[in-house]
Amino acid sequence: MITDVLIRNFKCFKSLTVPELGRITLIGGRNNVGKTALLEALFLFLDRARIDRILRQYGWRGIEGVISTPEAMWAPIFYDYDMKHEIIISTTIDGKPETAKFSYNPQFVPPAPTTTPPLEERQISTDEKPITSFSLDIEYCNNENKKQISHLFINPQGQLALHIDYAHFSGHSSHFLPSKKHIASKQTADEFSKLAQEGRENEAIDFLRIIEPRFETLKVITEGPRSSVHGKLEGFSHSFPIHFMGEGMEKLLNLLVGMVYSEGGCVFVDEMENGIHYSALPAIWKAIGQAVCKYDCQIITTTHSYECLQAAHEGLSEMPEDFRYIRLHRKDNEISAKLSNYDMIGTALKTNLEVR
Amino acid sequence: MSEPEKIDHKKLILAEGRDAELFLVWAGRHFRPEIDFQVMDFGGIKELTNFLKLLANDESYDNVETIVVARDAETDAEAAIKSVQHSMNEAKIPVPEKPFEYTQESSLKTAFMIFPGPEYTSGRLEDLCLLTVENDPLLECVDDYLECAKAKGERLSRIHKSKLHCFLAGKKDYAGLPIGLASRKKAWDFDHPSLEPFKRIIREM
């Protein structure tokens, strides 16, 4: 479980310290104060094996494409677009410190191609100079001094490539549920298929019944190259694609499979309340509380909603020690994080004090 | 549900419960007509520590210049004083040594007030309200009525409330009103000497 966090030079954060994250942490604060950026920083920290780890975050923000220049691809993740200062994301995970550093390297020498040239071409010119490229160098280091060093770079074919010097991949899996964009149906279908193969589809059905008690079955249907999860409701003869049943339904399914397949890791949810009727929120939070224990994962979510906070407080009444609320503030361009525990939020709700 | 309350003034009075909040709103307006302060209800006394911590977490907290806490002495004024001091200490805000005295650290000034006043070892806001009308002839009727009720076998365990509501019931403009709303309608004499210590603290905010 991630507990303490230090972020430097990432997006809107010149320097941000977040203490005492809980198993279930809600993040509040005004617009553009960095709530989503905090989730993105933590997800980037855990999302270590994917070549598109940065670009897909842009996709979740609604950016459809970027040109392959360092300014377009990587500058947006640096504080004030300034790539001269490295990004540092330090956390304590399961009581052990780990740090990730991201730095721009305009002099990266890509590794030589691994294909062997024909014998007659094996001649090395003595004045040959290595071709340099630009890369985003990424270094992960833990307290045992184990390092993973990798380079995201543009290869001679103009494609984004990943070169890993030393591999030490994190054992912490994670999922990110963006607020603006639907998770691809195929990804949901793949993960649900896995769950169904394990004979555990009822875990998803029970979870979805919180907001739709008429759910009878869930199954993956493949039509041509596409797979999607379909659900059948009591009283209907046909099943319907889950994404046609509304944002909340799809969100809950993604949340459930995210929790199931983030054992020992974390699920990040941007704007938990979106698509969900307020009356269902306490039951959803109660189910989330049970699920994070059952699947041994952590949930970090943003919210703008007093009702969502109220529902979390109500739904998590049996596990107050696992609840945290972090409010982000900006003052003179510096962002700080203020921590409230379960009892403090109880007082805020009782006295109707603004804490969002 | 009404909109959650924000810090929107630099001078804050934190009151224990809705009645104390409204009493201090109307008494405060009388004492400090510029009305440059905000009265907030911190809930019950068990919530005071959390409430102070929440204020310190607020984005407007850096602008706050003065915090005054007000609560009842209840059965033991000394215990009430220690309880407020403990909460202030837990919330890491300046802790005054005595009630009705300001202390200041850096830019934050704090004080606390205990109802019904500095001279009392026990009591509540209701007692203070009744003190402000101590010369009202209706109080004789109140005393007679409550004696009669006791004689008829009623066990009046919260005599301060019985007395206050009995007094209000006997006034045509205030019958049925809680303390807060009665304060708004000026049921209490805000110029009474028993309110002097409160007046001084609020004027010196």
Side-chain angles (χ1 to χ4, degrees):
Chain A
M1 185 169 86
I2 299 171
T3 45
D4 302 299
V5 181
L6 168 72
I7 299 168
R8 287 207 174 116
N9 298 317
F10 180 79
K11 292 196 170 180
C12 52
F13 305 124
K14 178 74 178 160
S15 179
L16 175 73
T17 304
V18 187
E20 294 182 46
L21 292 173
R23 187 175 280 278
I24 297 174
T25 303
L26 286 84
I27 300 166
R30 289 176 186 271
N31 287 116
N32 202 30
V33 77
K35 299 184 294 297
T36 304
L38 175 55
L39 296 192
E40 288 168 339
L42 292 173
F43 188 65
L44 187 61
F45 179 82
L46 296 175
D47 188 26
R48 299 183 183 184
R50 290 181 65 120
I51 200 166
D52 63 346
R53 69 187 84 174
I54 292 166
L55 296 180
R56 70 174 177 154
Q57 291 201 3
Y58 296 164
W60 296 335
R61 291 268 191 167
I63 297 163
E64 290 178 354
V66 291
I67 55 171
S68 58
T69 65
E71 289 76 19
M73 286 196 301
W74 299 321
I77 68 166
F78 286 81
Y79 178 75
D80 200 20
Y81 277 52
D82 181 359
M83 293 196 286
K84 289 197 289 293
H85 301 290
E86 71 179 358
I87 294 167
I88 297 174
I89 304 172
S90 288
T91 71
T92 303
I93 300 188
D94 299 332
K96 295 175 185 168
E98 273 189 48
T99 297
K101 295 177 181 175
F102 301 77
S103 53
Y104 174 54
N105 178 0
Q107 297 296 322
F108 178 65
V109 180
T114 52
T115 50
T116 309
L119 194 60
E120 62 274 16
E121 289 178 19
R122 283 189 190 171
Q123 187 180 352
I124 300 169
S125 170
T126 52
D127 62 353
E128 192 174 320
K129 292 178 182 167
I131 301 166
T132 59
S133 178
F134 49 80
S135 91
L136 186 71
D137 293 350
I138 305 166
E139 179 185 313
Y140 291 98
C141 184
N142 67 10
N143 67 332
E144 292 158 355
N145 226 12
K146 281 186 183 171
K147 282 188 180 178
Q148 173 181 300
I149 298 174
S150 57
H151 311 270
L152 273 175
F153 67 102
I154 302 297
N155 68 16
Q157 289 76 41
Q159 298 159 324
L160 192 60
L162 177 68
H163 175 73
I164 298 173
D165 291 343
Y166 303 101
H168 172 66
F169 288 115
S170 162
H172 306 285
S173 53
S174 57
H175 280 70
F176 194 105
L177 275 62
S179 70
K180 286 184 181 166
K181 201 161 173 140
H182 291 274
I183 294 286
S185 297
K186 186 176 181 315
Q187 186 187 331
T188 309
D190 289 347
E191 291 187 318
F192 179 74
S193 290
K194 205 171 150 190
L195 197 66
Q197 280 164 17
E198 293 165 10
R200 300 163 65 189
E201 60 267 50
N202 280 344
E203 293 174 33
I205 293 169
D206 288 345
F207 201 65
L208 293 182
R209 279 182 179 152
I210 298 170
I211 56 173
E212 178 48 274
R214 296 175 299 163
F215 251 110
E216 286 183 338
T217 58
L218 275 178
K219 59 187 171 185
V220 174
I221 291 183
T222 303
E223 293 165 309
R226 293 184 179 179
S227 298
S228 57
V229 180
H230 287 231
K232 186 178 173 302
L233 302 180
E234 184 190 329
F236 287 86
S237 55
H238 282 78
S239 61
F240 305 98
I242 198 90
H243 50 268
F244 283 170
M245 293 184 177
E247 187 186 347
M249 207 71 77
E250 192 178 22
K251 182 175 209 159
L252 279 199
L253 181 60
N254 283 316
L255 177 57
L256 190 274
V257 292
M259 289 191 289
V260 171
Y261 295 115
S262 295
E263 187 180 339
C266 191
V267 180
F268 301 94
V269 186
D270 195 13
E271 297 182 16
M272 171 63 87
E273 66 274 10
N274 280 5
I276 298 172
H277 192 263
Y278 78 95
S279 63
L281 281 168
I284 288 172
W285 276 114
K286 187 173 184 182
I288 289 172
Q290 291 163 348
V292 293
C293 296
K294 182 176 177 182
Y295 305 122
D296 184 25
C297 63
Q298 181 177 14
I299 293 265
I300 303 178
T301 175
T302 64
T303 182
H304 282 122
S305 157
Y306 208 75
E307 283 168 343
C308 183
L309 194 56
Q310 208 163 20
H313 192 265
E314 183 184 335
L316 300 171
S317 61
E318 288 171 17
M319 45 194 302
E321 67 286 355
D322 289 310
F323 174 97
R324 298 286 187 284
Y325 178 65
I326 306 283
R327 190 185 195 190
L328 297 182
H329 298 167
R330 176 184 285 110
K331 190 182 177 193
D332 304 331
N333 264 349
E334 292 288 321
I335 297 168
S336 60
K338 302 289 184 183
L339 172 75
S340 296
N341 61 24
Y342 185 84
D343 287 343
M344 287 169 71
I345 291 303
T347 296
L349 295 170
K350 183 177 173 186
T351 57
N352 201 26
L353 187 66
E354 181 60 272
V355 286
R356 291 169 295 176
Chain B
M1 190 181 74
S2 56
E3 271 294 294
E5 189 174 14
K6 299 172 188 166
I7 297 176
D8 51 22
H9 283 77
K10 294 177 180 176
K11 302 175 194 303
L12 305 178
I13 301 174
L14 311 184
E16 181 192 2
R18 182 72 175 149
D19 272 334
E21 179 192 5
L22 289 177
F23 173 83
L24 288 166
V25 164
W26 296 103
R29 286 176 177 224
H30 187 78
F31 303 150
R32 198 176 173 94
E34 56 268 46
I35 316 173
D36 58 347
F37 60 92
Q38 180 178 1
V39 186
M40 304 173 91
D41 171 11
F42 66 78
I45 199 64
K46 286 180 185 167
E47 265 87 38
L48 179 58
T49 305
N50 281 334
F51 195 89
L52 290 169
K53 285 181 180 175
L54 287 162
L55 287 186
N57 273 357
D58 194 276
E59 59 191 353
S60 302
Y61 183 71
D62 287 349
N63 302 326
V64 173
E65 295 168 352
T66 311
I67 296 176
V68 176
V69 176
R71 66 157 290 184
D72 289 336
E74 296 184 357
T75 55
D76 184 348
E78 276 305 310
I81 289 167
K82 283 187 180 140
S83 166
V84 175
Q85 288 172 326
H86 174 76
S87 292
M88 292 173 126
N89 192 45
E90 285 284 299
K92 298 183 174 59
I93 70 167
V95 185
E97 278 185 28
K98 293 177 182 172
F100 300 97
E101 273 186 15
Y102 275 107
T103 189
Q104 180 153 9
E105 278 175 29
S106 60
S107 59
L108 183 63
K109 198 161 86 168
T110 61
F112 61 91
M113 312 187 288
I114 304 289
F115 298 123
E119 308 301 321
Y120 296 87
T121 56
S122 66
R124 295 166 177 81
L125 172 60
E126 288 85 346
D127 300 307
L128 176 63
C129 291
L130 289 170
L131 276 171
T132 70
V133 291
E134 62 184 346
N135 296 322
D136 193 309
L138 189 67
L139 283 177
E140 280 177 39
C141 313
V142 169
D143 290 337
D144 290 346
Y145 171 74
L146 293 178
E147 282 306 315
C148 178
K150 282 188 218 169
K152 302 278 184 207
E154 289 297 328
R155 291 183 181 177
L156 302 175
S157 56
R158 294 187 297 169
I159 193 74
H160 55 285
K161 279 196 187 294
S162 301
K163 200 167 177 179
L164 180 126
H165 289 292
C166 193
F167 172 78
L168 291 174
K171 297 281 184 182
K172 93 174 158 57
D173 292 334
Y174 315 134
L177 295 182
I179 292 181
L181 292 179
S183 305
R184 183 180 182 179
K185 290 202 161 192
K186 296 190 169 50
W188 322 115
D189 177 8
F190 290 140
D191 292 318
H192 190 273
S194 61
L195 281 168
E196 270 307 311
F198 299 90
K199 184 176 182 177
R200 185 176 51 78
I201 285 290
I202 291 171
R203 288 186 83 123
E204 289 174 9
M205 286 183 83

